[in-house]
Amino acid sequence: YSTQPLKVGDRFPIEFVLPDQNGTITCSCEVAWRKGIGSNGDGVGLRFVDLSDQTKRVIAAWIDKEEREKQPV
């Protein structure tokens, strides 16, 4: 959530926790795209710009696990 309108190219720090993971991921991100004007259609895509290799592996493993769990049995 931001009280300021975000523009493509804006950079800012972010912190988040992946579900079922210990620890907080802290990094900078950049607004990659923006869509919509108005309360129901707003959205932005964020690009992480300074993740360590270890953090990239943690995120990739979490995504793989989530995808496997969504597969029908």
Side-chain angles (χ1 to χ4, degrees):
Y1 175 77
S2 174
T3 58
Q4 302 283 335
L6 297 171
K7 300 181 299 291
V8 172
D10 283 352
R11 285 189 177 197
F12 53 91
I14 189 170
E15 284 188 348
F16 60 95
V17 177
L18 294 172
D20 302 326
Q21 297 288 316
N22 294 326
T24 300
I25 295 174
T26 303
C27 64
S28 296
C29 62
E30 177 180 357
V31 177
W33 55 262
R34 181 171 182 217
K35 71 169 190 164
I37 304 292
S39 61
N40 292 330
D42 289 349
V44 295
L46 300 178
R47 176 184 306 121
F48 302 130
V49 294
D50 61 356
L51 293 174
S52 69
D53 288 341
Q54 173 62 26
T55 302
K56 289 177 186 176
R57 286 190 291 273
V58 167
I59 293 171
W62 181 82
I63 291 170
D64 288 344
K65 176 181 165 277
E66 290 296 305
E67 289 299 313
R68 280 192 310 276
E69 289 176 1
K70 289 182 181 177
Q71 299 293 322
V73 235

